[in-house]
Amino acid sequence: MSLATPYTDKTDEQKAICEMVRQFADEQIIPNAEHYDGADEFPEPIVEQMRELGLFGVTIPEEYGGMGLDLTTYAMIVEELSRGWISISGIVNTHFIGSYLLMKFGTEEQRQKFLPRMATGEIRAAFSLSEPELGSDVQAIKTSAKRVDGDAYEINGQKMWVTNGLLSSLVFVLVRTDPTADPRHRGMTCFIAEKEPGVAQGTGAYAGFDVPPKIRKLGYKGVESTELVFDGYRCPAENILGGEEAGLNRGFSQMMDALEVGRVNVAARGVGIAQRALELALRYAQERRTFGKPIAEHQAIQFKLADMATQIDAARLMTLRAARMKDAGERSELEAGMAKLFASETGHFCVEESLRIHGGYGYSKEYEIERLYRDAPLLLIGEGTSEIQRMVIGRKLLQRYKA
Ligand SMILES: Cc1cc2nc3c(=O)[nH]c(=O)nc-3n(C[C@H](O)[C@H](O)[C@H](O)COP(=O)(O)OP(=O)(O)OC[C@H]3O[C@@H](n4cnc5c(N)ncnc54)[C@H](O)[C@@H]3O)c2cc1C
């Protein structure tokens, strides 16, 4: 009899998809990650196979060509992809957020225009809030848009840390449209900025939209993170998310809503990388011998393995609980924030413990754990740092349990 709790129970469909993605990770991602990480090269052959498997359309409704699956199933898939390499989940992550924004807030025309091509992965989406001078303080955004003649808005300013910034065709970008708004968040709009993928300097309809060379990073290689420079880029008013009438100055709340599902997604990535770190530690601990026996037989090592496995179990339960609550239409900001905080810290904890178990070899590029150790810290930062998660959790607690 299965001892699985309802949170981890999988339907037959979920089991089949997770097995397929796990096999894909074992056969295609893990054996090739070292090469693409070392060269910091976009893993196009892996991405092409992901297109064939339909992984860019997991949550997009069937009527737009996707699989129409829920956030819970998506979180299970993201865990498997991240167990392979978190850069691979990064390639779908911003795309998933973009498709969520279109499904929840887009006009029917916008959905028809973008979702079918997004579902196949023909076009991919990026998500841009951060700027050189801000990340946590989203309300301080300076990039601005002004209405100009001919039904367009002119965007000026600079964005920072845009994952998939170069190779995406669409960027969901939050900019200031009313500098006098008080509170500040009421003066922001989300534009769907179109561009040619892979082109650093926009021309023609995309003139004034440039992508500087990718940022060199500690880890999370293969997927590009870039700045974006808007210098007089004209975005048609019809590309305001939700249309001009409904969407103008509504961007902040739209983006914050999307971040909630984004947090479940990052939590799933934390579980995936932690799971891989544990697998590597379990294997190495049974192979490596010191003082006449496998290190796995030393109690200190067993305690590390026990702590890792316990935290992973808790992180997975929290992640799936937050996803299931969202799918059931319940308010889940608190649970999503707690899952993101705990699972990303678990990812970081587990890669460090696994590295320690590997001893000196953990510090060598010959061993996979070295890459995981460089990759994991991103999860503590992206989509809200651990400090910001604690602020969100504290605020939501006080709202929920108002005295
Ligand atoms: C590889 C990578 C990919 C990314 N991809 C994207 C992307 O696709 N799109 C995007 O928009 N952004 C992206 N980001 C940006 C990311 O979201 C920000 O880096 C993050 O939100 C933190 O912002 P910051 O770096 O400006 O740090 P800051 O906001 O300057 O914070 C610096 C430190 O101060 C702490 N801090 C800030 N405010 C408070 C407070 N009130 N109380 C206590 N502590 C505080 C923070 O927790 C942090 O420790 C990416 C970042 C990285 C590294």
Side-chain angles (χ1 to χ4, degrees), residues 94 127-137 160-164 217 220 225 378 381-388 391:
T94 60
F127 173 81
S128 174
L129 300 173
S130 306
E131 296 187 358
E133 288 173 38
L134 65 101
S136 306
D137 186 6
M160 182 77 189
W161 288 121
V162 184
T163 302
N164 298 304
K217 297 171 293 193
Y220 199 42
S225 307
L378 164 71
I381 300 165
E383 285 173 53
T385 63
S386 290
E387 292 75 23
I388 296 301
M391 283 167 53

Side-chain angles (χ1 to χ4, degrees), residues 112-340:
Q112 296 284 357
K113 184 173 173 192
F114 299 119
L115 285 176
R117 285 182 298 147
M118 287 174 77
T120 58
E122 180 194 333
I123 56 170
R124 294 197 293 110
F127 173 81
S128 174
L129 300 173
S130 306
E131 296 187 358
E133 288 173 38
L134 65 101
S136 306
D137 186 6
V138 177
Q139 294 197 45
I141 278 176
K142 286 189 184 150
T143 300
S144 64
K146 241 193 225 160
R147 205 173 202 297
V148 287
D149 53 308
D151 261 359
Y153 281 74
E154 186 183 294
I155 304 183
N156 288 289
Q158 193 176 347
K159 289 289 179 180
M160 182 77 189
W161 288 121
V162 184
T163 302
N164 298 304
L166 181 66
L167 296 175
S168 53
S169 300
L170 307 176
V171 183
F172 289 80
V173 58
L174 188 64
V175 307
R176 187 168 294 287
T177 31
D178 179 1
T180 61
D182 182 20
R184 294 177 298 170
H185 63 80
R186 295 232 174 100
M188 293 185 188
T189 301
C190 175
F191 284 87
I192 310 168
E194 293 180 74
K195 67 185 183 67
E196 220 176 308
V199 173
Q201 205 160 20
T203 54
Y206 311 127
F209 188 167
D210 295 345
V211 186
K214 65 185 180 188
I215 301 166
R216 295 175 64 221
K217 297 171 293 193
L218 169 69
Y220 199 42
K221 310 241 179 170
V223 56
E224 80 282 6
S225 307
T226 71
E227 294 171 47
L228 299 179
V229 177
F230 294 98
D231 185 8
Y233 168 72
R234 281 176 173 238
C235 190
E238 65 188 27
N239 277 23
I240 289 178
L241 181 65
E244 191 173 19
E245 204 180 314
L248 189 67
N249 296 324
R250 300 280 197 288
F252 184 84
S253 58
Q254 293 167 339
M255 292 297 221
M256 291 303 119
D257 185 313
L259 276 186
E260 199 183 308
V261 289
R263 284 182 182 134
V264 172
N265 173 71
V266 178
R269 297 167 84 185
V271 177
I273 197 169
Q275 176 65 36
R276 184 65 185 159
L278 174 63
E279 288 167 17
L280 296 173
L282 281 167
R283 189 168 69 200
Y284 188 83
Q286 293 173 77
E287 288 167 4
R288 180 71 174 175
R289 297 175 72 86
T290 66
F291 302 94
K293 55 184 176 185
I295 60 170
E297 289 179 22
H298 299 306
Q299 194 183 48
I301 299 292
Q302 286 179 12
F303 279 13
K304 283 188 192 300
L305 296 171
D307 286 345
M308 290 162 77
T310 306
Q311 287 201 28
I312 293 168
D313 223 22
R316 184 177 290 117
L317 288 169
M318 291 173 78
T319 303
L320 293 176
R321 177 184 65 168
R324 287 191 197 279
M325 285 176 75
K326 183 79 184 168
D327 284 334
E330 292 174 37
R331 298 200 63 179
S332 56
E333 303 102 314
L334 179 62
E335 288 74 12
M338 292 195 313
K340 196 272 174 185

